[in-house]
């Protein structure tokens, strides 16, 4: 199944409500500081996603790691929810092991967005959006051409039992 997965860094998801009191409440009740993805974070996240997809035999069609969120398009044999969970977990562990996050940091928003892509047209449209519709490119991966970061990637992750 080909899916578009999107998730945000903790405390960085856009608020739908324009209520100042709601924004203030969210800031006061945050469990951690907002987690912005700087270039070293983005590079490591992209490498980790590439390695995870190789490990789990998922085809990574496109990815764009931004400073506040990321998009991943993959052809996965797992459920989309499990795929997103495994990728978030792998990226969290990699960031903490590289000392780019502390073990107390919340890195990701609790939720994410899953969009199944059921046709070649939908897949191509989503790839174009992920790679070209996000503003200036940050860390990107495009199908077979891969990315510079992926060529320097760390050894594959060990598959979870």
């Amino acid at each position: 199944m080909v899916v578009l997965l999107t998730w945000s860094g903790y405390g960085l998801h856009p608020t739908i409500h324009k209520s100042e009191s709601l924004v203030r409440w969210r800031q006061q009740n945050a469990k951690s500081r907002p987690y912005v993805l700087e270039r070293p974070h983005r590079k490591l996240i992209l490498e980790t996603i590439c390695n995870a997809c190789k490990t789990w035999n998922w085809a990574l069609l496109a990815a764009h790691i931004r400073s506040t969120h990321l998009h991943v398009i993959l052809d996965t044999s797992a459920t989309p929810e499990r795929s997103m969970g495994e990728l978030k977990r792998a990226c969290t562990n990699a960031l903490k092991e590289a000392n780019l996050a502390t073990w107390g940091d919340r890195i990701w928003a609790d939720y994410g967005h899953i969009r199944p892509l059921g046709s070649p047209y939908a897949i191509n449209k989503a790839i174009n959006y992920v790679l070209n519709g996000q503003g200036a490119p940050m860390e990107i991966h495009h199908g077979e051409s891969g990315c510079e970061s992926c060529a320097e990637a760390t050894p594959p992750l060990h598959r979870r039992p």
Side-chain angles (χ1 to χ4, degrees), residues 16-90:
I16 296 170
H17 306 285
K18 299 198 182 207
S19 163
E20 287 184 37
S21 62
L22 178 59
V23 171
R24 233 183 349 268
W25 181 86
R26 282 185 174 166
Q27 291 170 341
Q28 291 168 349
N29 291 292
K31 296 177 178 144
S32 181
R33 63 180 169 78
Y35 198 83
V36 177
L37 305 173
E38 301 293 342
R39 188 158 197 276
H41 303 90
R42 295 190 306 262
K43 283 185 62 133
L44 180 60
I45 289 166
L46 185 56
E47 290 171 3
T48 302
I49 289 172
C50 289
N51 284 329
C53 288
K54 287 177 192 171
T55 298
W56 294 312
N57 295 316
W58 300 337
L60 180 60
L61 305 179
H64 198 160
I65 317 305
R66 308 288 300 168
S67 59
T68 60
H69 67 284
L70 59 104
H71 299 283
V72 176
I73 299 174
L74 58 92
D75 189 350
T76 177
S77 55
T79 65
E81 296 80 7
R82 178 172 176 242
S83 300
M84 181 183 290
E86 293 290 355
L87 292 176
K88 286 171 86 171
R89 187 176 301 109

Side-chain angles (χ1 to χ4, degrees), residues 111-122:
Y111 64 88
H113 183 260
I114 296 169
R115 182 172 164 213
L117 303 171
S119 70
Y121 174 78

